[in-house]
Amino acid sequence: MKCLEDNATAWTSITPIADEVAKLQPITDRIKAAYKKQTEENTVGYTSNKDIALENMETLAYALAIKVKAYARKAGDMVLFNAVNFSMTDLNHGPEKEQITHCQIIADSATANLASLAAYGVTAPEIAALQTAINTAEPLTATRDAVMGEHVESTSELSKDFKAARAIFITLDELVEALTPAAFQEFENTYFATRRVNDHRGGGG
């Protein structure tokens, strides 16, 4: 496209060529915009932030769970014991939504039994810290998934745009060869040299 833009004087007065370039311009603009967006919204950053938040949440949840479990066993409350009976492996494996749910169960169980847990070192600020960690991890996971979904959709649209651009360039190849005036032979040579390079790279123009 840059070759066409740099040599506009060679083809703007040739209507068949100008019509195809006009069709091509919005397609190349969309391709450039999609690449820019994918670069700016790299999912690696979202995944890293999400992983840190999940690890912090799970560490706090496990530290709280073992205290609640100790109380539940001594009190003979096996319903409570089973509710919070998660190992660290249980907490950091499985689907992320499930990990968050397990940590929320621990926070809720501790809150419901806070009055009985003082002797086991459980405090309201400790539970609040876990709840904050849960509230932090949940939207980060959703954001990462949303960005990944947008990238999949964007890739699908890019494929359609590349296909449309290739079809236009096939027509342009024929038009440039047939209609370029002799005075603009240098433009024609540059155009086809650029096309050969881009076709080799898979760029389509």
Side-chain angles (χ1 to χ4, degrees):
M1 191 69 196
K2 188 175 186 304
C3 173
L4 291 166
E5 292 170 349
D6 291 345
N7 295 275
T9 55
W11 55 264
T12 47
S13 62
I14 305 172
T15 300
I17 295 178
D19 287 347
E20 293 304 308
V21 174
K23 294 178 190 174
L24 185 63
Q25 186 66 61
I27 295 173
T28 57
D29 287 346
R30 285 197 301 272
I31 291 172
K32 289 176 184 177
Y35 272 125
K36 184 174 184 293
K37 184 175 181 180
Q38 287 195 0
T39 300
E40 291 173 348
E41 294 186 345
N42 193 317
T43 57
V44 172
Y46 287 101
T47 299
S48 177
N49 291 340
K50 179 265 305 177
D51 288 344
I52 292 169
L54 285 174
E55 183 178 353
N56 180 56
M57 175 191 71
E58 290 152 2
T59 299
L60 293 174
Y62 182 71
L64 183 58
I66 58 176
K67 296 176 186 178
V68 178
K69 274 179 19 179
Y71 159 74
R73 185 182 291 280
K74 184 171 177 58
D77 188 343
M78 298 312 293
V79 173
L80 176 60
F81 181 90
N82 290 326
V84 298
N85 187 23
F86 298 109
S87 68
M88 191 62 174
T89 300
D90 293 330
L91 291 176
N92 59 30
H93 283 74
E96 290 163 3
K97 288 183 180 179
E98 188 174 292
Q99 294 175 37
I100 292 169
T101 297
H102 289 166
C103 291
Q104 188 64 64
I105 289 171
I106 293 169
D108 291 345
S109 297
T111 299
N113 294 275
L114 181 57
S116 302
L117 291 168
Y120 293 81
V122 175
T123 65
E126 182 181 8
I127 299 171
L130 173 56
Q131 189 62 58
T132 298
I134 293 169
N135 295 343
T136 300
E138 195 165 15
L140 285 175
T141 299
T143 299
R144 190 281 315 272
D145 291 345
V147 170
M148 288 183 71
E150 288 177 4
H151 280 200
V152 170
E153 183 178 348
S154 176
T155 299
S156 175
E157 292 302 314
L158 272 174
S159 179
K160 294 177 185 177
D161 282 336
F162 275 124
K163 184 176 180 180
R166 280 193 293 270
I168 292 172
F169 271 113
I170 289 171
T171 301
L172 275 173
D173 290 349
E174 296 173 351
L175 293 172
V176 169
E177 183 177 16
L179 302 178
T180 300
F184 293 106
Q185 185 64 45
E186 184 177 350
F187 156 66
E188 183 178 345
N189 293 340
T190 302
Y191 171 84
F192 282 107
T194 303
R195 289 282 292 120
R196 282 192 295 274
V197 170
N198 284 337
D199 281 347
H200 177 69
R201 292 175 179 168

